[in-house]
Amino acid sequence: MKTFVLFFIMMFSLAAMAGPLENRESNGGKGIVIGNKAYLLDLLERTPYDAYLPAKKPFVFGLKKEVVFRAFPASFPREKIYLKLLELNQFSPEVMMRLYNTARRLQWQLVEGPLALTADDTFLDGRWQGYQLVQLAERRVNVIRIDQAMWQRLDDVNKVALVIHEIVYSAIDPLSTEFRSDLTRFFVSSVFSKEDFPAMNYAHTRLFWQSVFFLNPVIRD
């Protein structure tokens, strides 16, 4: 709990120091290459590596599968992206709808790489020092460009996590400011963690993330 509180204080401080608005390449999820596999950095921040995809399909009023599918290319694991959005609704319907509405205005392209590393975040946890750091994706205005070769090296968990990473960053930082990607990585690593996702249901945690996504606080019993 203390770790969450300290992290939230630090993140608000970083947000307050955000630089002037500018139109730059940013937003991109980074990863590392191990053998013939690629991994999103967000998911490697948890030990042990416990990222998962939901298997259940809870009903969410107003979120139709075919509508969600239209937001993503047919080559994407759209069913699994849809299930993850449904799961996020259990955490906060307000946050889930913000992410869904953000996803609807994004365009996705698989492009020939390699992509140049963006300057927003190049931190590598000590456990992964020595591995090749790669740019999996980058954002140019509302277009998310994904390195096609790296995309093929990701398993479905990492593909869905990369998609959510890009949506989250776009929702938090829609105008591409100097906002660092720490918040995005922390959110994605938490919601894909079997251990940490249940802990996000604390009221103060929901209120914090609602504020990060520029939502009015919603207090529930």
Side-chain angles (χ1 to χ4, degrees):
M1 187 62 64
K2 291 181 179 179
T3 301
F4 271 87
V5 173
L6 290 174
F7 187 87
F8 295 162
I9 293 173
M10 180 183 69
M11 288 299 100
F12 275 126
S13 299
L14 288 173
M17 295 186 294
L21 296 182
E22 59 181 12
N23 197 3
R24 68 181 179 91
E25 295 180 10
S26 128
N27 199 72
K30 292 182 175 65
I32 61 171
V33 175
I34 303 177
N36 63 348
K37 299 292 185 181
Y39 301 88
L40 183 67
L41 286 186
D42 307 35
L43 302 188
L44 297 178
E45 293 189 354
R46 291 295 182 259
T47 303
Y49 176 60
D50 65 344
Y52 76 103
L53 288 174
K56 299 180 181 179
K57 188 185 294 184
F59 175 76
V60 176
F61 180 76
L63 190 67
K64 296 182 179 180
K65 180 191 294 188
E66 58 270 22
V67 176
V68 174
F69 275 28
R70 286 200 293 268
F72 304 99
S75 60
F76 280 34
R78 297 187 296 184
E79 176 78 22
K80 295 174 182 178
I81 295 170
Y82 173 68
L83 289 178
K84 194 61 184 180
L85 288 174
L86 294 184
E87 186 180 58
L88 287 173
N89 186 77
Q90 300 174 29
F91 157 62
S92 170
E94 298 79 21
V95 168
M96 186 280 292
M97 286 306 299
R98 173 56 60 87
L99 297 181
Y100 167 65
N101 287 327
T102 299
R104 292 176 62 189
R105 65 176 176 79
L106 295 175
Q107 300 175 44
W108 305 83
Q109 297 178 353
L110 295 177
V111 301
E112 185 177 350
L115 299 175
L117 288 172
T118 58
D120 52 341
D121 187 9
T122 56
F123 172 77
L124 257 184
D125 186 283
R127 291 167 295 167
W128 312 111
Q129 293 289 341
Y131 290 100
Q132 180 188 359
L133 180 65
V134 294
Q135 190 72 40
L136 300 176
E138 66 181 14
R139 180 180 67 185
R140 295 186 179 180
V141 191
N142 288 337
V143 178
I144 306 298
R145 304 174 73 248
I146 300 175
D147 184 318
Q148 185 168 17
M150 290 297 112
W151 176 257
Q152 299 303 325
R153 294 189 180 195
L154 299 171
D155 62 18
D156 280 352
V157 178
N158 281 269
K159 285 180 178 177
V160 175
L162 176 61
V163 169
I164 298 298
H165 173 104
E166 300 302 328
I167 297 171
V168 169
Y169 206 136
S170 297
I172 292 176
D173 190 11
L175 296 178
S176 193
T177 70
E178 289 296 335
F179 203 108
R180 295 178 62 197
S181 61
D182 302 56
L183 271 176
T184 300
R185 285 172 60 173
F186 186 72
F187 181 84
V188 174
S189 66
S190 297
V191 299
F192 277 84
S193 169
K194 297 174 185 176
E195 178 181 353
D196 292 339
F197 186 52
M200 295 183 71
N201 284 318
Y202 289 114
H204 68 275
T205 308
R206 283 198 304 271
L207 291 175
F208 169 77
W209 284 113
Q210 286 166 0
S211 69
V212 167
F213 288 101
F214 310 108
L215 298 165
N216 294 325
V218 178
I219 301 176
R220 301 184 182 85
D221 295 332

